[in-house]
Amino acid sequence: MGGSSWPDLQCLVRRKPAAASSTGFAEAADGGGVGSTIGAGIYVLVGTVAREHTGPGLTVSFLIAGVAAALSALCYAELSCRFPSAGSAYHYSYICIGESVAWLIGWALVLEYTIGSSSVARGISPNLALFFGGQDKLPFFLAQVHVKGLDTPVDPCAAILVLIVTALLCLGIKESSFVEGIITTANIIVMLFVICAGGWLGFRNGWAGYKGPDGYFPNGFGGVLSGSATLFFAFIGFDTVASTAEEVKNPQHDLPMGMGLTLSLCCFLYMMVSAVVVGLAPYHAIDPDTPISSVFAQYGMQWAEYVVSSGAVLALIASLIGGILPQPRIIMAMARDGLVPPLFSVVNRQTQVPILSTILTGTCAAILAFFMDVSQLAGMVSVGTLLAFTMVAISVLVVRYAPPYEMPMEVALAGTPESLTSDSSHSEQDEQNLEDPFGNEAPSASEIDSKVRRQKAIRSIVFICLGAFIFVSAVSFSFLPFYVQMTACTIGGLLLLSSSVVLLCIGQDKSSLGPTGGFMCPLVPLLPICCIIVNGYLLMNLGVTHGFVFPYGWRLVRSYTSSMA
């Protein structure tokens, strides 16, 4: 029994060869990254973070959060060029780390997108109430209805919108991207209105918000860092671009370009909006629920509330499209690998869309949005995103220093048992036979050195992950005694430093430095290690007390509902 148990567990560590990746079967795709990233959270987070953390230094917090998000974006960009296939972080984890981790990441992302989409959908009807004159004047199919026996009001508007978006996504990636592009353009126009009108008011009235007695950083630089941790989730959404890799004409060029432009544009808009809002009024006088419209109201521009609310509705709809879009593609990738029934991998020949997977995920999100209060769950869906970001950073280290063995395309067909391989079952004789089909020659000295280097690299990557976990835990758990924190920080720091030095000394694998056909992440291994530490810190501190909510999230729903009451 003991002898047969290990082969049964090998499926947990087997990896999918990169040669099994399929690419580019659709005509075009835009990805919708900007629409997914510019969520409605910007219409609320600026007030909350400014009042509780940063004060007038909100713009600096947005910049730091954008840089932190860029660390993950650079890692995503390289892997999307190397392995341009559907599935995003799930696909990369399967190739570089193993099946068990990929299975966990895949379902974590599906759960994140499903719950996130549901929470976004439930925020539409409260925002629409302003245009109808109040909640009680909404049509019956738009208003939330209290039903006996249910603690949470049902929301037919949310369910209808999810089903409409699902039907739109079934038509094709080009059609859905076109609609999302129109909505995103309108949302950007609203944000430009806030920037221009707010800038005009600021220059006309002397930027009262920057003249407070507390200075630019009332809570010190620590408050700026705390605020940036909360604002980090306003940048989540660029990974949607990577999930549509198979529907992009030129993924090696378009995917990195799309991610870079998405983050750059969003960071610029966020910083400009925040600079205007905190400059128009003292940060302690900003309404945390409706910060932008309340600031304009202080200058007699109550009509701006309609413009801002329109932007919030558009941002919610764009976020809804961007939230539902990646789900079926992740399930499709898992179906190809045999982790879910294979019927979910079927792609419609006309629309080039996994119809069944799209209908399934859209229906589940619609049911959840109709019946359930997702406010508590919405605060935890960012766990899936942060886990995915961390695994992507680790995958970059694996690709550069211990790249997975690849099998020929004619042997490794996607979605078949033969397409999976395991490092644990990859013997020295197999490595020798790959170089010499007759197996007559003994391994050369260079081959032995390469194997030793590879083993050192794998151990160093494991120790980096362990050191990051210890270090981040020590920093995050403030209830621990001081000497325990210092000891853990020292141990974790030494593991990180020594393992990083080992990686720098042994150098990257030569095969990983060949032409990738696209972008390569700079400053490896330092940049991925920083990404692991940042994401680990955010994971450890994830919770309501730190303001970590789904970036397009439920706080907006609740705040606008209370303001309309």
Side-chain angles (χ1 to χ4, degrees), residues 36-37 112 232-239 382 385-386 389 551-552:
S36 305
T37 306
E112 171 208 343
F232 174 83
F233 297 97
F235 291 90
I236 294 175
F238 63 84
D239 52 332
S382 295
T385 297
L386 290 173
F389 285 6
Y552 320 116

Side-chain angles (χ1 to χ4, degrees), residues 107 110-111 113-115 117-118 162-163 166 169-170 323-332 344 354-368:
W107 284 114
V110 171
L111 180 65
Y113 287 126
T114 302
I115 298 176
S117 301
S118 302
V162 172
L163 293 177
T166 302
L169 293 175
C170 289
I324 297 179
L325 176 66
Q327 297 179 60
R329 285 148 182 84
I330 296 173
I331 293 180
M332 177 183 68
F344 292 111
I355 299 293
L356 185 58
S357 300
T358 303
I359 294 176
L360 173 66
T361 55
T363 303
C364 291
I367 294 173
L368 190 63

Side-chain angles (χ1 to χ4, degrees), residues 18 29 37 66 136 146 150 217 232 249 278 316 326 353 524 533 547 551 563:
T37 306
D136 55 341
H146 291 270
L150 293 177
F217 302 118
F232 174 83
K249 278 186 175 181
V278 297
L316 286 168
V353 170
V524 176
I533 295 174
S563 65

Side-chain angles (χ1 to χ4, degrees), residues 220-237:
F221 196 69
V224 174
L225 292 177
S226 178
S228 64
T230 304
L231 297 173
F232 174 83
F233 297 97
F235 291 90
I236 294 175

